[in-house]
Amino acid sequence: MQPFDLIVHNASEVLTCNGELRGKAEDALAPIPQGAVGISSGRIAWLGTNLPKGAVSGHTQEVDAKGGFVGPGFVDCHTHVVFAGDRSDEFEARCQGKTYLEIAQAGGGIAKTVRATRDATAEELIALALPRLDRLLKHGVTTAEVKSGYGLTVDSELKLLEVVRALGDRQPVSLVGTVLGLHALPPDFSGPREAYVREVIDELLPKVATASLARFCDVFVEQSAFTHDEARACLTAGKTLGVLPRLHVDQLTANGGAQLAAELGAVTADHLEQISPEGIAALKAAGTVAVLAPTSTLFARARPFAPGRALVDAGVPVALCTNVNPGSSNSENVFLAMGLACVECGLSPAEAYLGFTQVGGLALRDESLGRLVEGGPADLVVFAADSYRTLPYHFGMNDVSHVVKSGRLL
Ligand code: NIG
């Protein structure tokens, strides 16, 4: 056999996360006790217990896991890392009792970030996003979805998606673009709101599709943002162009958004703090992935937390995300999200871990992500902890010791 380019050995276990999701979460982790991994040409060449003969040559790089466990690179399936400006004043106002919606209705919130982001050049936005992506990488994230939504004109939304593409070439985390033209009504838009929605549908989406700038089209359905009918029109148009639907729904107010996501065949329904039992049943029937963002529930002081336990018990696949953004979740901390998903949403540590691995991959419609399989991408994380259970338990702390992306030790 050809010796591997890189091996990872001395692990307590290798969690492949390639088991059946329908059964027990612990089984879906599909661990290989005392496992090892062989990597060649950026792919996983071998997974098992005893490295095969001839696996190692003088050129093979070795990672000694020193008894820590190994798992797939994390998939952060909902982020807004491309933005300029600062909203620490709003954080302070929320701490003193103002709500996220009150701040938005007074002209702050997303509109404030839009003004700062429009004023920034593409190079400035890249420079601001790079450290955020680096922090995600240090938390074990090897693939992240990134939304536009802070431009809110055709040209500035395109600029943000081009920045996402450029960022994909300038740092190791693989990026998946999402067009979020309907994130908020543009602060300076003087025409009727229908005119802005039409601009997104008739001008922005075709340009995004032609340039393949986004895999997903997203809409924020909320009192301060867009209605069911506006979201339906936008996501249906996106679908016709091959841009897949997903939605921010039932976040701050209960709005039947989960049912809308199910009706539209959305790949994901995100947030869901206010989802109803009917909404849960609708997601299950439609096969839509629920994406929970518990750091934003905490940071935006928007109780209750999403009913993760009820979603999992109903058989809805539950993914987790950091939702990095300047307003509702100014944090790249994957482990805080996992810990909150356990403590506040009722997930088990295994379910929370799957939320950033196998189910994160499903949320991006890419089953090669968030799993370790022979022939699959060699994106993996080595932890300075012998069990995944430590991650939410070591609350908000980072136990990543090594990250391997596309077969390269970073
Ligand atoms: O996912 N809910 C809408 N979008 C973001 C918040 C954006 C912002 O406040 O800037 C979210 O929480």
Side-chain angles (χ1 to χ4, degrees):
M1 70 167 292
Q2 278 280 96
F4 300 131
D5 298 340
L6 174 72
I7 58 160
V8 182
H9 63 147
N10 286 332
S12 58
E13 57 182 355
V14 173
L15 301 182
T16 66
C17 297
N18 195 31
E20 183 55 58
L21 201 58
R22 269 186 278 275
K24 272 178 58 190
E26 286 75 7
D27 295 339
L29 297 178
I32 305 173
Q34 268 98 50
V37 187
I39 292 165
S40 283
S41 307
R43 318 290 295 179
I44 295 176
W46 175 90
L47 283 164
T49 310
N50 298 311
L51 281 161
K53 270 206 169 52
V56 180
S57 76
H59 298 292
T60 304
Q61 200 175 6
E62 290 186 36
V63 176
D64 182 349
K66 297 189 175 148
F69 80 98
V70 174
F74 289 135
V75 180
D76 190 354
C77 66
H78 178 145
T79 83
H80 307 249
V81 291
V82 177
F83 65 86
D86 172 274
R87 285 171 39 205
S88 51
D89 55 339
E90 297 182 2
F91 175 76
E92 207 169 324
R94 275 202 306 280
C95 294
Q96 288 159 359
K98 281 246 177 326
T99 68
Y100 181 95
L101 276 178
E102 282 165 358
I103 293 166
Q105 275 147 6
I110 293 168
K112 183 171 181 201
T113 300
V114 168
R115 288 188 283 269
T117 303
R118 282 184 186 167
D119 286 346
T121 64
E123 274 310 316
E124 285 164 348
L125 291 170
I126 289 170
L128 288 165
L130 281 171
R132 296 175 191 134
L133 290 168
D134 188 52
R135 283 190 288 273
L136 285 176
L137 183 68
K138 289 194 166 102
H139 284 83
V141 173
T142 52
T143 302
E145 182 256 16
V146 184
K147 299 174 198 297
S148 64
Y150 290 125
L152 307 187
T153 63
V154 171
D155 286 346
S156 53
E157 284 291 296
L158 290 171
K159 176 176 88 176
L160 295 194
L161 290 168
E162 275 152 13
V163 164
V164 175
R165 179 172 278 172
L167 282 164
D169 296 334
R170 292 214 203 166
Q171 53 72 55
V173 179
S174 300
L175 303 181
V176 175
T178 292
V179 54
L180 179 55
L182 298 189
H183 196 192
L185 213 54
D188 52 353
F189 199 78
S190 50
R193 55 187 290 134
E194 303 79 68
Y196 178 65
V197 175
R198 287 274 28 122
E199 201 172 293
V200 167
I201 294 174
D202 297 338
E203 287 183 50
L204 177 60
L205 293 186
K207 286 185 175 157
V208 166
T210 306
S212 300
L213 282 169
R215 184 180 301 166
F216 297 102
C217 180
D218 199 341
V219 177
F220 184 21
V221 175
E222 188 50 77
Q223 280 174 13
S224 59
F226 295 93
T227 65
H228 279 218
D229 283 348
E230 289 162 341
R232 194 178 281 113
C234 178
L235 295 185
T236 307
K239 240 191 204 173
T240 318
L241 294 164
V243 191
L244 303 173
R246 58 184 298 172
L247 279 163
H248 285 63
V249 281
D250 291 325
Q251 180 183 6
L252 303 162
T253 55
N255 51 43
Q259 289 91 318
L260 177 68
E263 171 203 319
L264 296 171
V267 178
T268 68
D270 301 41
H271 288 289
L272 303 175
E273 284 87 342
Q274 309 280 347
I275 191 173
S276 63
E278 295 73 29
I280 295 177
L283 293 186
K284 165 66 182 154
T288 296
V289 176
V291 177
L292 309 189
T295 51
S296 54
T297 323
L298 181 78
F299 192 83
R301 305 189 79 192
R303 303 300 188 275
F305 281 81
R309 182 76 263 132
L311 284 156
V312 172
D313 288 346
V316 177
V318 173
L320 298 176
C321 66
T322 61
N323 187 21
V324 181
N325 76 76
S328 71
S329 180
N330 188 25
S331 171
E332 293 86 359
N333 194 332
V334 166
F335 303 108
L336 183 58
M338 270 188 200
L340 288 170
C342 294
V343 172
E344 295 286 359
C345 305
L347 264 53
S348 69
E351 288 159 351
Y353 188 78
L354 287 168
F356 272 109
T357 54
Q358 185 189 132
V359 192
L362 299 181
L364 295 187
R365 270 285 161 89
D366 186 342
E367 293 195 8
S368 74
L369 297 175
R371 306 172 196 235
L372 298 179
V373 287
E374 286 180 2
D379 294 355
L380 52 95
V381 185
V382 182
F383 294 90
D386 65 0
S387 166
Y388 66 87
R389 292 183 175 89
T390 303
L391 305 185
Y393 171 59
H394 196 188
F395 200 69
M397 300 307 288
N398 184 353
D399 287 309
V400 169
S401 75
H402 300 83
V403 179
V404 174
K405 173 66 191 173
S406 302
R408 206 161 62 85
L409 179 65
L410 301 175

